[in-house]
């Protein structure tokens, strides 16, 4: 076994709390499938027979009850009271890890050829190889968002070498207003997140100079005497030409002059595979959740060619008014002269006559009465849209009711016990 696969499914979806207050983030429907199904399906398609899933009790119950896969799922539950980041979660399962690991987030939806990332890791004997895609400049309206449109995602800025594969710099745009500083000696347990802490730390650790080794050793000796020694990444690398941390400014100005050591000699090597085409998205915000449901109609026919986008049990009177890029779930009823375009409709929904649904997500058991018009909105489980309502760019929470002939634009309508963060 060359690699072990680990799927992270612990995060609560703090940037989309109205959706995740009633449904755990890994189980949110995307294209009428739970979000976590997509990384699990990707791993199954490339031949993994066993996967470690780090998650919560609620998600574990659903995985055990509803998921039918050939792979064995080794489910590890994080205590509900624990506040663990992704690196903390890996540390929690340390005893299970016997090889190099392939880590996927439960909110990753992609059609990447996974072997391209793995081959990059192998070819360069890398410390890490990561998957990224070029940022999208398009602005899409987010349900409930008023005022100027905002980008649907927060971007990472990276620097690569002339090959476009060696990762030299990485920072999130939220961090670029301040100086980026990571101390050369970090306590082993101070790293809690893979993406925001561990990867930037490893990227910087590539830039090391032999002359700094002695100074580092002297510092570590002093720390030993004070019983305050801290471990850094080199504490876990076999001894062989160990290089240590260089000044931070060397990171960005690495190739200026003749004094810089050949990066190929660094013991810490970070690489990145950048997708230029295809689907690759992290569903971490409401905007990205909407975009994933818009795009998934292109992906599902490729990875599940045996499944129709319109379930065979759906009852549709005017089939020609259902767009070819729309999904309709089992046991859903669509009335006469009702139009559904660029939308995902869940299971057991009732859509009456002369209804228009455009660029929307309707979850399960939603009722839309006659003559209603819904555009660019998310309608959650068991909601009722009464006769003649006009809804645009809204988020309607679970079991909410919109009165007849109401006009709602850019609103978030949820229960009093739910909070929405946009």
């Amino acid at each position: 076994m060359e690699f072990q696969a680990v799927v992270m499914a612990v995060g609560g979806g703090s940037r989309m709390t109205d959706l995740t207050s009633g449904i755990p983030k890994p189980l949110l429907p995307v294209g009428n499938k739970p979000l976590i199904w997509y990384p699990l399906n990707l791993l199954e398609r490339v031949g993994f027979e066993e996967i470690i899933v780090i998650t919560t009790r609620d998600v574990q119950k659903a995985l055990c009850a509803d998921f039918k896969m050939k792979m064995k799922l080794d489910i590890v539950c994080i205590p509900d009271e624990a506040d663990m980041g992704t690196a903390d979660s890996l540390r929690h399962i340390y005893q299970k890890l016997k090889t190099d690991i392939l880590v996927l987030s439960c909110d990753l939806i992609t059609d990447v050829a996974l072997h391209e990332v793995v081959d990059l890791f192998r070819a360069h004997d890398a410390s890490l190889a990561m998957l990224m895609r070029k940022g999208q400049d398009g602005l899409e309206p987010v349900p409930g968002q008023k005022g100027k449109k905002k980008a649907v995602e927060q971007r990472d800025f990276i620097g690569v070498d002339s090959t476009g594969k060696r990762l030299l710099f990485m920072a999130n745009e939220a961090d670029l207003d301040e100086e980026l500083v990571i101390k050369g000696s970090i306590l082993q347990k101070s790293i809690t997140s893979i993406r925001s802490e561990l990867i930037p730390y490893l990227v910087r650790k590539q830039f090391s100079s032999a002359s700094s080794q002695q100074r580092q050793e002297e510092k570590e000796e002093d720390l030993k005497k004070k019983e305050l020694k801290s471990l850094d990444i080199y504490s876990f690398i076999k001894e062989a030409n160990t290089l240590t941390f260089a000044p931070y400014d060397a990171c960005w100005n690495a190739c200026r002059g003749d004094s810089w050591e050949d990066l190929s000699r660094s013991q810490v090597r970070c690489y990145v595979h950048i997708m230029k085409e295809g689907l690759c998205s992290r569903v971490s915000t409401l905007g990205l959740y909407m975009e994933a449901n818009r795009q998934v109609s292109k992906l599902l026919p490729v990875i599940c060619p045996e499944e129709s986008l319109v379930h065979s049990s759906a009852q549709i009177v005017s089939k020609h008014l259902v767009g070819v890029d729309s999904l309709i779930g089992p046991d859903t009823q669509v009335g006469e002269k009702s139009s559904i375009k660029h939308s995902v409709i869940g299971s057991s929904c009732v859509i009456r006559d002369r209804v228009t649904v455009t660029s929307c997500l309707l979850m399960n058991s939603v009722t839309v009465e006659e003559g209603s018009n819904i555009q660019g909105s998310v309608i959650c489980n068991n909601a009722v849209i009464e006769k003649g309502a006009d809804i645009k760019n809204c988020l309607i929470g679970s079991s909410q009711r919109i009165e007849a002939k109401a006009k709602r634009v850019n609103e978030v309508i949820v229960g009093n016990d739910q909070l929405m963060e946009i």
Side-chain angles (χ1 to χ4, degrees):
M1 181 172 57
E2 184 180 6
F3 290 94
Q4 290 176 271
V6 179
V7 174
M8 298 286 185
V10 180
S14 59
R15 286 183 282 178
M16 45 203 303
T17 51
D18 68 306
L19 299 177
T20 57
S21 61
I23 306 173
K25 180 181 176 181
L27 303 180
L28 284 174
V30 174
N32 290 332
K33 294 183 181 294
L35 183 54
I36 194 175
W37 179 88
Y38 291 90
L40 292 178
N41 175 266
L42 174 62
L43 293 169
E44 185 174 64
R45 284 186 286 117
V46 299
F48 278 92
E49 297 179 353
E50 182 173 347
I51 297 174
I52 300 173
V53 180
I54 307 176
T55 190
T56 61
R57 294 288 182 191
D58 289 341
V59 177
Q60 180 192 33
K61 292 176 183 177
L63 290 176
C64 294
D66 301 331
F67 276 62
K68 296 179 180 179
M69 289 189 159
K70 297 177 182 178
M71 302 179 302
K72 176 184 176 183
L73 300 183
D74 181 2
I75 302 175
V76 179
C77 290
I78 298 297
D80 293 338
E81 66 277 5
D83 183 17
M84 289 190 181
T86 49
D88 292 321
S89 298
L90 280 182
R91 192 177 297 113
H92 184 72
I93 63 165
Y94 174 75
Q95 297 298 327
K96 291 179 176 287
L97 302 179
K98 309 299 181 185
T99 67
D100 291 328
I101 57 175
L102 181 63
V103 181
L104 279 72
S105 173
C106 75
D107 61 7
L108 174 67
I109 299 179
T110 181
D111 57 2
V112 67
L114 201 56
H115 70 85
E116 294 181 351
V117 184
V118 173
D119 288 348
L120 185 66
F121 181 87
R122 291 175 178 142
H124 298 280
D125 191 22
S127 304
L128 71 86
M130 62 186 298
L131 170 66
M132 301 192 82
R133 65 162 174 79
K134 289 192 173 183
Q136 297 177 328
D137 296 327
L139 298 177
E140 293 288 346
V142 176
Q145 177 179 287
K146 298 182 179 180
K148 186 178 179 180
K149 295 180 181 179
K150 298 179 181 179
V152 298
E153 62 180 325
Q154 197 171 70
R155 299 168 296 178
D156 290 306
F157 289 90
I158 67 170
V160 296
D161 67 1
S162 58
T163 70
K165 297 178 180 179
R166 187 71 184 264
L167 185 62
L168 307 180
F169 174 85
M170 177 177 172
N172 188 273
E173 65 178 333
D175 299 323
L176 292 180
D177 291 334
E178 301 177 2
E179 183 180 4
L180 295 171
V181 177
I182 295 179
K183 295 182 179 179
S185 58
I186 294 183
L187 291 173
Q188 181 183 4
K189 292 190 177 182
S190 68
I191 294 177
T192 62
S193 169
I194 293 175
R195 177 173 172 170
S196 62
E197 297 177 57
L198 179 60
I199 292 176
Y201 173 62
L202 290 177
V203 169
R204 294 187 189 184
K205 272 295 183 180
Q206 298 176 108
F207 304 96
S208 307
S209 61
S211 61
S212 65
Q213 173 66 21
Q214 184 176 356
R215 294 194 301 271
Q216 181 69 15
E217 290 176 350
E218 291 173 353
K219 291 179 181 179
E220 289 182 354
E221 184 63 29
D222 291 339
L223 291 174
K224 284 181 181 179
K225 293 177 181 179
K226 297 177 181 179
E227 296 183 352
L228 293 174
K229 180 182 177 182
S230 61
L231 301 176
D232 72 2
I233 195 65
Y234 291 109
S235 303
F236 305 96
I237 297 178
K238 294 180 180 179
E239 292 184 8
N241 300 322
T242 302
L243 303 176
T244 54
F245 195 53
Y248 172 71
D249 58 0
C251 172
W252 196 237
N253 302 296
C255 299
R256 296 183 179 179
D258 299 327
S259 61
W260 186 248
E261 297 285 340
D262 184 357
L263 275 176
S264 64
R265 286 186 270 171
S266 173
Q267 284 189 294
V268 178
R269 292 178 289 276
C270 302
Y271 285 82
V272 59
H273 174 70
I274 302 174
M275 282 188 70
K276 296 180 175 63
E277 296 179 349
L279 177 62
C280 185
S281 178
R282 289 284 307 276
V283 184
S284 55
T285 66
L286 179 57
L288 289 171
Y289 180 65
M290 285 288 290
E291 184 63 22
N293 276 283
R294 293 187 188 105
Q295 297 294 329
V296 76
S297 63
K298 303 174 185 177
L299 177 63
L300 286 175
V302 177
I303 62 177
C304 297
E306 71 283 358
E307 295 184 13
S308 172
L309 295 182
V310 177
H311 196 274
S312 59
S313 65
Q315 301 176 34
I316 305 171
V317 176
S318 306
K319 293 184 178 181
H320 66 285
L321 295 179
V322 176
V324 295
D325 57 355
S326 292
L327 285 76
I328 298 182
D331 302 318
T332 284
Q333 303 174 36
V334 181
E336 187 177 3
K337 297 183 180 180
S338 287
S339 170
I340 299 174
K341 306 293 184 184
H342 317 298
S343 297
V344 176
I345 311 298
S347 64
S348 303
C349 293
V350 177
I351 298 175
R352 305 293 186 190
D353 298 343
R354 295 184 294 282
V355 169
T356 301
V357 179
T358 307
S359 298
C360 291
L361 166 63
L362 276 61
M363 294 188 186
N364 299 331
S365 302
V366 172
T367 299
V368 184
E369 298 292 352
E370 181 179 350
S372 295
N373 176 46
I374 310 174
Q375 179 179 341
S377 299
V378 176
I379 314 297
C380 295
N381 295 331
N382 302 304
V384 176
I385 312 301
E386 294 186 355
K387 185 175 180 179
D390 188 0
I391 299 172
K392 182 178 180 180
N393 297 336
C394 290
L395 191 149
I396 311 299
S398 296
S399 302
Q400 297 299 303
R401 180 179 291 270
I402 303 301
E403 62 274 17
K405 297 184 179 181
K407 185 172 183 178
R408 305 286 189 178
V409 180
N410 293 330
E411 293 187 38
V412 175
I413 303 171
V414 297
N416 294 329
D417 58 340
Q418 294 176 289
L419 297 176
M420 174 60 190
E421 182 177 325
I422 297 179

